[in-house]
């Protein structure tokens, strides 16, 4: 392998690592809901994409809107959509029927996807760059400024989430409900309120993740809904169900593996190797990178 090929290989891995931060945030959304309610919200990535679409209404209402304000708009839209998904798909469903919530969230995924398609006529929409056209050149190696911004923003989101989970009353309630919901209720913690706020929090994260993905790719398309859902679920499984550190590491790993496979085998075979990685984890380490300890509940 020549030096130029080696640089291109390293470039692909680094670009995938930087964009993988978006997968990590999406995976954290799946993981957080699963950790608290022990249920999967399949509509999460679709709602995140819808929040990014809704943020594009802001420039039409307020011409000259700063690009960074789109992140705030996407966060608010994501939080509202998260509350709606909880109310429609989880709140009125008995806790003893996890399959029902799985199917209702799947139905919500399809509904949101169809709404996006019919509203936009299936035409991709340009998403304004959140960062200027800047890049860091180190010889023949290039670090894209937009991907660096995506990575840094995602890391800051993760740090803020850690602060919320370990230094606020909501975080304390969330961790208590995740570990022992009955004991949490006996201590005066409201399950409905905690679960609802968890959906609002993850929706806020998802809205920002959708905007970051749109900024890095340059466009928003209904075709992104399913890939983001699949990659988010893969990150959740590979990282370990309910493990937020696992979701972070798995997101970066999936992003790097995806770009590496694209460089070596082409875009048509890219997803095959990501699926093979998931299959390998399911066979050899089904609990994921950070499998929860097995013991008496």
């Amino acid at each position: 392998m020549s030096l130029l090929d080696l640089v291109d290989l390293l470039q692909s891995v680094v670009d995938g690592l930087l964009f993988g931060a978006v997968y990590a945030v999406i995976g954290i959304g799946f993981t957080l809901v699963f950790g608290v309610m022990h249920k999967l919200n399949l509509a999460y990535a679709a709602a995140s994409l819808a929040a990014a679409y809704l943020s594009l209404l802001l420039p039409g209402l307020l011409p000259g809107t700063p690009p960074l304000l789109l992140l705030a708009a996407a966060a608010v839209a994501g939080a509202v959509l998260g509350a709606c998904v909880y109310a429609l798909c989880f709140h009125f469903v008995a806790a003893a029927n996890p399959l029902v919530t799985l199917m209702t969230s799947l139905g919500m995924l399809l509904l949101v996807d169809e709404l996006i398609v019919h509203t936009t006529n299936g035409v991709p929409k340009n998403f304004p760059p959140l960062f200027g056209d800047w890049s860091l050149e180190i010889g023949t190696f290039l670090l894209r400024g937009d991907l660096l911004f995506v990575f840094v923003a995602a890391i800051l989101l993760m740090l803020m989430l850690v602060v919320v989970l370990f230094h606020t009353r909501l975080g304390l309630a969330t961790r208590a409900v995740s570990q022992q919901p009955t004991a949490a209720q006996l201590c005066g913690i409201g399950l409905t309120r905690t679960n609802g706020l968890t959906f609002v929090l993850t929706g806020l994260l998802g809205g920002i993740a959708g905007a970051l993905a749109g900024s890095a790719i340059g466009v928003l398309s209904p075709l992104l809904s399913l890939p983001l859902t699949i990659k988010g679920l893969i990150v959740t499984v590979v990282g370990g169900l309910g493990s937020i550190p696992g979701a972070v590491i798995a997101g970066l790993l999936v992003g790097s593996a995806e770009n590496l496979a694209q460089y070596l085998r082409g875009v048509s075979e890219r997803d095959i190797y990501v699926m093979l990685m998931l299959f390998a984890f399911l066979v050899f380490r089904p609990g994921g990178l950070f499998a929860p300890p097995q013991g008496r509940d």
Side-chain angles (χ1 to χ4, degrees):
M1 179 180 290
S2 66
L3 179 61
L4 183 59
D5 291 336
L6 186 60
V7 170
D8 289 340
L9 180 66
L10 182 61
Q11 181 81 64
S12 298
V13 173
V14 172
D15 287 347
L17 180 72
L18 296 178
F19 187 79
V22 173
Y23 293 152
V25 176
I26 295 291
I28 286 173
F30 281 108
T31 296
L32 196 56
V33 170
F34 183 85
V36 174
M37 298 186 66
H38 303 289
K39 297 176 182 178
L40 283 174
N41 174 21
L42 294 181
Y44 179 65
S48 302
L49 183 64
Y53 268 104
L54 289 174
S55 71
L56 292 178
L57 298 175
L58 192 60
L61 298 174
L62 299 173
T65 300
L68 289 180
L69 195 57
L70 292 178
L71 281 180
V76 172
V80 172
L81 289 175
C84 292
V85 170
Y86 173 71
L88 295 173
C89 300
F90 291 83
H91 178 54
F92 297 104
V93 178
N97 292 321
L99 183 59
V100 176
T101 55
L102 188 70
M103 298 309 296
T104 53
S105 64
L106 175 60
M108 182 61 71
L109 184 158
L110 298 176
L111 175 61
V112 171
D113 201 33
E114 285 298 313
L115 287 175
I116 293 175
V117 170
H118 286 287
T119 303
T120 63
N121 294 319
V123 178
K125 287 188 172 293
N126 292 328
F127 197 92
L130 301 175
F131 198 78
D133 186 15
W134 173 86
S135 59
L136 176 63
E137 296 186 17
I138 307 174
T140 56
F141 187 75
L142 180 70
L143 285 176
R144 286 171 46 186
D146 56 346
L147 288 181
L148 279 174
F149 175 80
V150 166
F151 183 79
V152 172
I155 294 298
L156 289 177
L157 276 179
M158 297 171 196
L159 293 177
M160 291 172 59
L161 179 62
V162 170
V163 172
V164 169
L165 289 179
F166 292 97
H167 298 282
T168 66
R169 292 175 62 88
L170 173 59
L172 177 62
T174 300
R175 288 182 287 122
V177 171
S178 172
Q179 295 173 14
Q180 286 290 349
T182 303
Q185 277 187 300
L186 293 175
C187 292
I189 297 175
L191 290 186
T192 300
R193 180 177 179 273
T194 302
N195 292 337
L197 288 177
T198 299
F199 270 79
V200 170
L201 177 61
T202 56
L204 186 149
L205 293 176
I208 296 178
L212 291 176
S215 173
I217 298 172
V219 296
L220 290 177
S221 169
L223 298 177
L224 290 174
S225 179
L226 187 59
L228 286 178
T229 300
I230 293 174
K231 298 295 170 50
L233 290 174
I234 291 175
V235 167
T236 304
V237 173
V238 170
L241 289 173
S243 172
I244 292 178
V248 173
I249 295 176
L252 302 179
L253 178 63
V254 168
S256 301
E258 180 183 64
N259 252 33
L260 180 61
Q262 179 175 321
Y263 172 75
L264 295 175
R265 302 297 300 174
V267 67
S268 61
E269 298 184 21
R270 177 186 63 187
D271 291 338
I272 296 176
Y273 293 95
V274 176
M275 296 298 179
L276 286 176
M277 183 178 70
L278 172 63
F279 178 77
F281 269 91
L282 290 175
V283 172
F284 299 107
R285 194 175 178 81
L289 292 172
F290 290 83
Q294 300 297 321
R296 189 174 64 181
D297 189 359

